[in-house]
Amino acid sequence: MQMSQLTPLLFASYWCTCGHGGAFRRYGFGAEYDLYAPNYPQDELFLIMGSAFAPQGYAWAFPRGNGRVRLGVGVIHPDNDEDARIYLDRIMRDIPQLAERFKGASPLEYHTGLFPSEGAVPGFSRDGLLLAGDAGGHGSTLVGEGIRFAIYSGQMAGETAAEAIKAGDTSAAYLGRFDQRWRSRFARDMDIAYMINKHIAAYSDAQWDSSLDLLKRLTPAQAAQALRGDFTASLVMGILARNPSLIATGGKRFLDKMLERINKPVAVSAE
Ligand SMILES: Cc1cc2nc3c(=O)[nH]c(=O)nc-3n(C[C@H](O)[C@H](O)[C@H](O)COP(=O)(O)OP(=O)(O)OC[C@H]3O[C@@H](n4cnc5c(N)ncnc54)[C@H](O)[C@@H]3O)c2cc1C
C-alpha cells in the first residue's frame, strides 16, 4: 500500500473486490510441496494430466536448483470439487517414474492456495485505487502462471500511480490509463490462454492421450513459446505445419479460433 498526503492511492494485490464486482467464481485450487530431492535430475520437468492424478487440471514437478523441486497439483473449481491436497500425496507415491526420482526426498515447505481462472476483471481502477496481480485476474490461466504477470502489472500500475501523483489527479478517469495499457499489452494473449484453459480443462483421458502426439511434435522452442503464453500467428502456423493431421480434425477449428483472436484488434481507447 502506498499513501501520499495529498492524493491517497491504494494498490491492491490481494483478492479485494473493493467494488470491482463479485468474488472470483472459477479458480485453480493448488497444493504444492517444496522438496529437497537429492535424486531428482535437475534438468527434467514433468507436467501430468489425467483424471487419476489431476482431474480438470494438471500436476507438475519443477526442479529449481540446489536439489530443490516443487511438486504440485492444481484442480479447477467449480469445474469439479476435488481436493488438490489428496492428489498431491497420491502423485508422489503412485507414479513410478516420480517415486524413483523422489527417493530420499523430504518436504521443506507446503503451499496451498487459489488462483483466479476466469480472465481479467472488467476494470482495474477506481478513484484512488488500482488492482494488479491476482486481484485483477492478471495471471495466465493457461498453466496458472501468475508471478511474472503480477510483476509486469505491478510495474505498470506503479508507473501509472507515479504519473497520477505528479498530475495531482488520482481519479478513476485518470487511473483508467492503466487499464488501457494493460489491455493493449496483455489482453490478447490472456484471452487466448483462457480460451485454451477452458478447452483443455474439459479433456477426457482419451483426449489427453491423443494430444500427446501433437505435443511431442512441437519443437522445444514452440513448446516454450506456447507455455509462456506468447501466442502469434507464426506459432499457430508452425503447429499446423508439424501436425498436418489437425486439418482433418476438430483441432484445426480450435487453431482457427486462435488465429481469429490473434488477428482481432485489441479494444482499447486511445490515451
Ligand atoms: C500452490 C500454488 C503454486 C503456484 N505456483 C506458481 C508458479 O510456479 N509460478 C507462477 O508464476 N505462479 C504460481 N502460482 C500463482 C502465484 O502464486 C500468484 O499468481 C502470485 O503469487 C500472485 O501475486 P499477487 O501479488 O497478485 O498476490 P499474492 O501473492 O496472493 O499476494 C497478496 C498478498 O496480500 C496479502 N493480503 C491478503 N488479504 C489482505 C488484506 N485484507 N489486507 C492486506 N493484505 C492482504 C496476502 O497475505 C499476500 O501477501 C501458484 C499459486 C499456487 C496457489
Side-chain angles (χ1 to χ4, degrees):
M1 197 198 309
Q2 278 199 352
M3 288 284 192
S4 137
Q5 277 187 321
L6 292 172
T7 46
L9 190 56
L10 172 73
F11 284 99
S13 70
Y14 49 89
W15 287 34
C16 118
T17 53
C18 307
H20 281 250
F24 292 108
R25 289 175 307 278
R26 186 169 183 270
Y27 51 89
F29 168 18
E32 173 185 74
Y33 286 127
D34 188 346
L35 298 128
Y36 176 63
N39 295 308
Y40 188 99
Q42 286 282 322
D43 58 353
E44 276 185 16
L45 68 80
F46 283 79
L47 293 175
I48 301 151
M49 279 71 86
S51 57
F53 296 107
Q56 267 105 31
Y58 78 102
W60 61 88
F62 293 158
R64 60 185 201 90
N66 296 325
R68 300 282 285 268
V69 184
R70 292 214 164 159
L71 175 72
V73 57
V75 295
I76 296 183
H77 287 200
D79 298 24
N80 65 38
D81 61 357
E82 300 284 353
D83 186 334
R85 294 168 295 186
I86 293 169
Y87 286 91
L88 181 57
D89 289 318
R90 205 178 280 174
I91 284 162
M92 198 154 84
R93 198 185 53 224
D94 293 350
I95 299 183
Q97 294 92 327
L98 289 188
E100 184 192 311
R101 284 165 174 77
F102 282 109
K103 219 169 171 181
S106 39
L108 301 179
E109 289 177 22
Y110 179 56
H111 314 139
T112 57
L114 308 177
F115 179 79
S117 282
E118 55 181 61
V121 302
F124 319 138
S125 37
R126 290 282 160 95
D127 288 334
L129 174 72
L130 287 168
L131 291 187
D134 278 10
H138 289 163
S140 168
T141 51
L142 179 68
V143 287
E145 185 193 354
I147 297 170
R148 196 161 51 99
F149 297 106
I151 293 170
Y152 294 152
S153 302
Q155 280 170 339
M156 216 180 248
E159 282 159 17
T160 305
E163 288 165 13
I165 287 172
K166 214 165 162 190
D169 182 358
T170 56
S171 66
Y174 190 95
L175 294 176
R177 61 182 57 197
F178 169 54
D179 295 52
Q180 292 167 7
R181 287 170 181 170
W182 188 91
R183 289 189 197 285
S184 68
R185 170 69 183 83
F186 296 112
R188 192 193 63 182
D189 284 346
M190 293 306 177
D191 284 356
I192 294 170
Y194 186 40
M195 210 171 98
I196 299 174
N197 171 278
K198 283 188 291 184
H199 186 71
I200 61 179
Y203 267 14
S204 63
D205 289 352
Q207 281 173 302
W208 272 120
D209 284 343
S210 61
S211 301
L212 282 183
D213 290 336
L214 182 151
L215 293 173
K216 272 191 238 159
R217 273 190 229 118
L218 299 187
T219 65
Q222 285 171 332
Q225 186 179 347
L227 277 178
R228 263 199 325 270
D230 183 8
F231 302 111
T232 57
S234 65
L235 175 67
V236 175
M237 299 316 286
I239 293 174
L240 267 178
R242 297 182 75 84
N243 294 276
S245 65
L246 278 175
I247 290 170
T249 66
K252 168 75 168 52
R253 277 196 303 279
F254 188 76
L255 291 175
D256 281 345
K257 271 207 254 166
M258 272 177 74
L259 274 180
E260 205 178 293
R261 182 63 191 88
I262 287 168
N263 293 324
K264 194 168 126 190
V266 176
V268 283
S269 46
E271 281 180 39

Coordinates of all heavy atoms in Angstrom, one line a residue, residues 1 10-16 28-33 58 60 62 70-74 110-116 132-140 143-151 153, ligand 1:
M1 N 0.8 -1.2 0.0 CA 0.0 0.0 0.0 C 0.9 1.3 0.0 O 1.9 1.3 0.7 CB -0.9 0.0 1.2 CG -2.0 0.9 1.1 SD -2.8 1.4 2.6 CE -3.2 -0.1 3.4
L10 N -4.3 3.6 -3.3 CA -4.2 2.3 -2.8 C -3.9 1.3 -3.9 O -4.5 1.3 -4.9 CB -5.5 1.9 -2.1 CG -5.7 0.5 -1.6 CD1 -4.8 0.3 -0.3 CD2 -7.2 0.2 -1.3
F11 N -2.9 0.5 -3.6 CA -2.6 -0.7 -4.5 C -3.2 -1.9 -3.9 O -2.9 -2.2 -2.7 CB -1.1 -0.9 -4.7 CG -0.4 0.0 -5.5 CD1 0.3 1.1 -5.0 CD2 -0.5 -0.1 -6.9 CE1 1.0 2.0 -5.8 CE2 0.2 0.8 -7.7 CZ 0.9 1.8 -7.2
A12 N -4.0 -2.6 -4.6 CA -4.5 -3.9 -4.1 C -3.9 -5.0 -4.9 O -4.0 -5.0 -6.1 CB -6.0 -4.0 -4.1
S13 N -3.1 -5.9 -4.2 CA -2.6 -7.1 -4.9 C -3.2 -8.3 -4.3 O -2.7 -9.4 -4.5 CB -1.1 -7.1 -4.9 OG -0.6 -7.4 -3.7
Y14 N -4.2 -8.1 -3.4 CA -4.8 -9.3 -2.8 C -6.2 -9.4 -3.4 O -6.6 -8.5 -4.1 CB -4.8 -9.3 -1.3 CG -5.2 -7.9 -0.7 CD1 -6.6 -7.7 -0.4 CD2 -4.3 -6.9 -0.4 CE1 -7.0 -6.5 0.1 CE2 -4.7 -5.7 0.1 CZ -6.0 -5.5 0.4 OH -6.4 -4.3 0.9
W15 N -7.0 -10.4 -3.0 CA -8.3 -10.6 -3.6 C -9.3 -9.7 -3.0 O -10.3 -10.1 -2.4 CB -8.7 -12.1 -3.4 CG -8.0 -13.0 -4.3 CD1 -6.7 -12.9 -4.6 CD2 -8.5 -14.2 -4.9 NE1 -6.3 -14.0 -5.4 CE2 -7.4 -14.8 -5.6 CE3 -9.7 -14.8 -4.9 CZ2 -7.6 -16.0 -6.3 CZ3 -9.9 -16.0 -5.5 CH2 -8.8 -16.6 -6.2
C16 N -9.1 -8.4 -3.1 CA -10.1 -7.4 -2.6 C -10.9 -7.1 -3.8 O -10.4 -6.7 -4.8 CB -9.3 -6.2 -2.0 SG -9.7 -4.6 -2.8
G28 N -8.3 -22.0 -9.8 CA -7.5 -23.2 -9.5 C -7.2 -23.3 -8.1 O -6.9 -22.3 -7.4
F29 N -7.4 -24.5 -7.5 CA -7.1 -24.8 -6.1 C -5.8 -25.6 -6.2 O -5.8 -26.7 -6.7 CB -8.2 -25.6 -5.5 CG -8.0 -26.2 -4.2 CD1 -6.9 -25.8 -3.4 CD2 -8.8 -27.2 -3.7 CE1 -6.7 -26.4 -2.1 CE2 -8.6 -27.8 -2.5 CZ -7.5 -27.4 -1.7
G30 N -4.7 -25.1 -5.7 CA -3.4 -25.7 -5.8 C -2.8 -26.1 -4.5 O -3.0 -25.5 -3.4
A31 N -2.1 -27.2 -4.5 CA -1.3 -27.7 -3.3 C 0.0 -28.1 -3.8 O 0.1 -28.8 -4.9 CB -2.0 -28.9 -2.6
E32 N 1.1 -27.8 -3.1 CA 2.4 -28.0 -3.6 C 3.4 -28.2 -2.5 O 3.3 -27.5 -1.4 CB 2.8 -26.7 -4.3 CG 4.2 -26.5 -4.8 CD 4.4 -25.1 -5.4 OE1 4.6 -24.1 -4.6 OE2 4.5 -25.0 -6.6
Y33 N 4.4 -29.1 -2.7 CA 5.5 -29.3 -1.8 C 6.7 -28.6 -2.4 O 6.9 -28.8 -3.6 CB 5.9 -30.8 -1.6 CG 4.9 -31.6 -0.7 CD1 4.4 -32.8 -1.2 CD2 4.6 -31.2 0.6 CE1 3.5 -33.5 -0.4 CE2 3.8 -31.9 1.4 CZ 3.2 -33.1 0.9 OH 2.4 -33.9 1.7
Y58 N -3.8 -30.0 -13.7 CA -2.6 -30.7 -14.0 C -1.7 -30.7 -12.8 O -1.9 -29.9 -11.9 CB -1.8 -30.1 -15.2 CG -1.1 -28.8 -15.0 CD1 0.3 -28.8 -14.8 CD2 -1.7 -27.6 -14.8 CE1 1.0 -27.7 -14.6 CE2 -1.0 -26.4 -14.6 CZ 0.4 -26.5 -14.5 OH 1.1 -25.3 -14.2
W60 N 2.6 -30.9 -11.5 CA 3.9 -30.5 -12.0 C 5.0 -30.9 -11.1 O 4.8 -31.1 -9.9 CB 3.9 -29.0 -12.2 CG 3.7 -28.2 -10.9 CD1 4.6 -27.8 -10.0 CD2 2.4 -27.7 -10.4 NE1 4.1 -27.1 -9.0 CE2 2.7 -27.0 -9.2 CE3 1.1 -27.8 -10.9 CZ2 1.7 -26.4 -8.4 CZ3 0.1 -27.2 -10.1 CH2 0.4 -26.5 -8.9
F62 N 8.7 -29.3 -10.9 CA 9.6 -28.3 -11.4 C 10.9 -28.2 -10.6 O 10.8 -27.8 -9.4 CB 9.0 -26.9 -11.4 CG 7.8 -26.8 -12.4 CD1 6.9 -25.7 -12.1 CD2 7.6 -27.6 -13.5 CE1 5.8 -25.6 -13.0 CE2 6.5 -27.4 -14.3 CZ 5.6 -26.4 -14.1
R70 N 9.8 -28.4 -6.8 CA 8.4 -28.1 -6.4 C 7.5 -29.1 -7.1 O 7.6 -29.3 -8.3 CB 8.0 -26.7 -6.9 CG 8.8 -25.7 -6.0 CD 8.0 -24.5 -5.7 NE 8.6 -23.8 -4.6 CZ 8.4 -22.5 -4.4 NH1 7.6 -21.8 -5.2 NH2 9.0 -21.9 -3.4
L71 N 6.8 -29.9 -6.3 CA 5.9 -30.9 -6.8 C 4.5 -30.4 -6.4 O 4.2 -30.2 -5.2 CB 6.2 -32.2 -6.2 CG 5.2 -33.3 -6.5 CD1 5.4 -33.8 -8.0 CD2 5.4 -34.5 -5.6
G72 N 3.6 -30.2 -7.4 CA 2.3 -29.7 -7.0 C 1.2 -30.2 -7.9 O 1.4 -30.9 -8.9
V73 N 0.0 -29.9 -7.5 CA -1.2 -30.2 -8.3 C -2.2 -29.1 -8.2 O -2.4 -28.6 -7.1 CB -1.8 -31.6 -7.9 CG1 -2.1 -31.7 -6.5 CG2 -2.9 -32.0 -8.8
G74 N -2.9 -28.8 -9.3 CA -4.0 -27.8 -9.3 C -5.2 -28.4 -9.9 O -5.1 -29.1 -11.0
Y110 N 5.3 -26.4 2.4 CA 4.0 -26.9 1.9 C 3.1 -25.7 1.6 O 3.0 -24.8 2.5 CB 3.3 -27.8 3.0 CG 2.0 -28.3 2.6 CD1 1.8 -29.1 1.4 CD2 0.9 -28.1 3.4 CE1 0.6 -29.6 1.1 CE2 -0.4 -28.7 3.0 CZ -0.5 -29.4 1.9 OH -1.7 -30.0 1.5
H111 N 2.7 -25.5 0.4 CA 1.9 -24.4 0.0 C 0.5 -24.8 -0.5 O 0.4 -25.8 -1.2 CB 2.5 -23.6 -1.2 CG 4.0 -23.4 -1.1 ND1 4.9 -23.5 -2.1 CD2 4.7 -23.0 0.0 CE1 6.1 -23.2 -1.7 NE2 6.0 -22.9 -0.4
T112 N -0.5 -24.1 -0.1 CA -1.8 -24.3 -0.8 C -2.4 -22.9 -1.1 O -2.0 -21.9 -0.5 CB -2.9 -25.0 0.2 OG1 -3.0 -24.2 1.4 CG2 -2.5 -26.4 0.5
G113 N -3.2 -22.8 -2.1 CA -3.8 -21.5 -2.4 C -4.7 -21.6 -3.6 O -4.9 -22.6 -4.2
L114 N -5.3 -20.4 -3.9 CA -6.2 -20.3 -5.0 C -5.6 -19.4 -6.1 O -4.9 -18.4 -5.8 CB -7.5 -19.7 -4.5 CG -8.2 -20.4 -3.3 CD1 -9.5 -19.7 -2.9 CD2 -8.5 -21.9 -3.7
F115 N -6.0 -19.7 -7.3 CA -5.5 -18.8 -8.5 C -6.7 -18.5 -9.4 O -7.3 -19.4 -9.9 CB -4.5 -19.6 -9.2 CG -3.9 -18.8 -10.4 CD1 -3.0 -17.8 -10.3 CD2 -4.4 -19.1 -11.7 CE1 -2.5 -17.1 -11.4 CE2 -3.9 -18.4 -12.8 CZ -3.0 -17.4 -12.6
P116 N -7.1 -17.2 -9.5 CA -8.3 -16.9 -10.3 C -8.2 -17.4 -11.7 O -7.1 -17.2 -12.4 CB -8.4 -15.4 -10.3 CG -7.1 -14.9 -9.7 CD -6.4 -16.0 -9.0
A132 N -3.7 -4.9 -9.2 CA -2.7 -5.5 -10.0 C -2.4 -6.9 -9.5 O -2.6 -7.2 -8.3 CB -1.4 -4.7 -9.9
G133 N -2.1 -7.8 -10.4 CA -1.8 -9.2 -10.0 C -3.1 -10.0 -9.9 O -4.0 -9.8 -10.6
D134 N -3.0 -11.1 -9.0 CA -4.2 -12.0 -8.9 C -5.5 -11.2 -8.7 O -6.5 -11.6 -9.2 CB -4.0 -13.0 -7.8 CG -3.1 -14.2 -8.2 OD1 -2.5 -14.1 -9.3 OD2 -3.0 -15.1 -7.4
A135 N -5.4 -10.1 -7.9 CA -6.6 -9.4 -7.6 C -7.3 -8.8 -8.8 O -8.5 -8.7 -8.9 CB -6.3 -8.2 -6.7
G136 N -6.5 -8.6 -9.9 CA -7.1 -8.1 -11.2 C -7.4 -9.2 -12.1 O -7.7 -9.0 -13.3
G137 N -7.1 -10.5 -11.7 CA -7.2 -11.6 -12.7 C -6.1 -11.5 -13.8 O -6.4 -11.8 -14.9
H138 N -4.9 -11.0 -13.4 CA -3.9 -10.7 -14.4 C -3.0 -11.9 -14.8 O -2.2 -11.8 -15.7 CB -3.0 -9.5 -13.9 CG -3.7 -8.2 -13.9 ND1 -3.3 -7.1 -13.2 CD2 -4.9 -7.8 -14.5 CE1 -4.1 -6.1 -13.4 NE2 -5.1 -6.5 -14.1
G139 N -3.1 -13.0 -14.1 CA -2.2 -14.1 -14.4 C -2.7 -14.8 -15.6 O -3.8 -14.7 -16.1
S140 N -1.8 -15.7 -16.1 CA -2.2 -16.5 -17.3 C -2.9 -17.8 -16.8 O -2.3 -18.6 -16.1 CB -0.9 -16.9 -18.1 OG -1.3 -17.9 -19.1
V143 N -1.5 -22.1 -17.7 CA -0.9 -23.1 -16.7 C -0.9 -22.5 -15.3 O -0.2 -23.0 -14.5 CB 0.5 -23.5 -17.1 CG1 0.5 -24.4 -18.3 CG2 1.4 -22.3 -17.4
G144 N -1.7 -21.5 -15.1 CA -1.8 -20.9 -13.7 C -0.5 -20.2 -13.4 O 0.0 -20.2 -12.3
E145 N 0.0 -19.4 -14.4 CA 1.3 -18.7 -14.1 C 0.9 -17.2 -13.7 O 0.4 -16.5 -14.5 CB 2.2 -18.6 -15.4 CG 3.5 -18.0 -15.1 CD 4.3 -17.6 -16.3 OE1 4.0 -18.0 -17.4 OE2 5.4 -17.0 -16.1
G146 N 1.2 -16.9 -12.5 CA 0.8 -15.6 -12.0 C 1.9 -14.6 -11.6 O 1.8 -13.4 -11.5
I147 N 3.1 -15.2 -11.2 CA 4.2 -14.4 -10.6 C 4.7 -13.3 -11.6 O 4.7 -12.1 -11.3 CB 5.3 -15.3 -10.1 CG1 4.8 -16.2 -9.0 CG2 6.4 -14.4 -9.5 CD1 5.8 -17.3 -8.5
R148 N 5.1 -13.8 -12.8 CA 5.6 -12.9 -13.8 C 4.6 -11.8 -14.1 O 5.0 -10.6 -14.2 CB 6.0 -13.7 -15.0 CG 6.9 -13.1 -16.0 CD 7.5 -14.2 -16.9 NE 6.6 -15.1 -17.5 CZ 6.1 -15.0 -18.8 NH1 6.5 -14.0 -19.5 NH2 5.3 -15.9 -19.3
F149 N 3.4 -12.2 -14.3 CA 2.4 -11.2 -14.7 C 2.0 -10.3 -13.6 O 1.6 -9.1 -13.8 CB 1.2 -12.0 -15.3 CG 1.5 -12.8 -16.5 CD1 1.6 -14.1 -16.5 CD2 1.8 -12.1 -17.7 CE1 2.0 -14.9 -17.6 CE2 2.2 -12.8 -18.8 CZ 2.3 -14.2 -18.7
A150 N 2.1 -10.7 -12.3 CA 1.8 -9.8 -11.2 C 2.9 -8.8 -11.2 O 2.7 -7.6 -10.9 CB 1.8 -10.6 -9.9
I151 N 4.2 -9.2 -11.5 CA 5.3 -8.2 -11.5 C 5.1 -7.2 -12.7 O 5.2 -6.0 -12.5 CB 6.6 -9.0 -11.7 CG1 6.9 -9.8 -10.4 CG2 7.8 -8.0 -11.9 CD1 8.1 -10.7 -10.5
S153 N 2.3 -6.3 -14.1 CA 1.2 -5.4 -13.8 C 1.5 -4.5 -12.7 O 1.1 -3.3 -12.8 CB -0.1 -6.3 -13.4 OG -0.4 -7.2 -14.3
Ligands
LIG1 C1 0.1 -23.8 -5.0 C2 0.4 -22.7 -5.9 C3 1.5 -22.7 -6.7 C4 1.8 -21.7 -7.6 N1 2.9 -21.8 -8.4 C5 3.2 -20.8 -9.3 C6 4.4 -20.9 -10.1 O1 5.1 -21.9 -10.0 N2 4.6 -19.9 -10.9 C7 3.8 -18.8 -11.0 O2 4.0 -17.9 -11.8 N3 2.6 -18.7 -10.3 C8 2.3 -19.7 -9.4 N4 1.2 -19.6 -8.6 C9 0.4 -18.3 -8.7 C10 1.1 -17.2 -8.0 O3 1.4 -17.6 -6.6 C11 0.2 -16.0 -7.9 O4 -0.3 -15.7 -9.2 C12 1.0 -14.8 -7.4 O5 1.5 -15.0 -6.1 C13 0.1 -13.5 -7.4 O6 0.8 -12.5 -6.8 P1 0.0 -11.3 -6.1 O7 1.0 -10.3 -5.6 O8 -1.0 -10.8 -7.1 O9 -0.9 -12.0 -5.0 P2 -0.4 -12.7 -3.7 O10 1.0 -13.4 -3.9 O11 -1.5 -13.6 -3.3 O12 -0.1 -11.6 -2.6 C14 -1.2 -11.0 -2.0 C15 -0.8 -10.5 -0.6 O13 -1.9 -9.8 0.0 C16 -2.0 -10.2 1.4 N5 -3.4 -9.9 1.8 C17 -4.5 -10.7 1.7 N6 -5.5 -10.1 2.2 C18 -5.1 -8.9 2.6 C19 -5.8 -7.8 3.3 N7 -7.1 -7.8 3.5 N8 -5.0 -6.7 3.6 C20 -3.7 -6.6 3.3 N9 -3.0 -7.7 2.7 C21 -3.7 -8.7 2.4 C22 -1.6 -11.7 1.3 O14 -1.2 -12.1 2.6 C23 -0.5 -11.7 0.3 O15 0.8 -11.5 0.9 C24 0.9 -20.6 -7.7 C25 -0.2 -20.5 -6.9 C26 -0.5 -21.5 -6.0 C27 -1.7 -21.5 -5.2

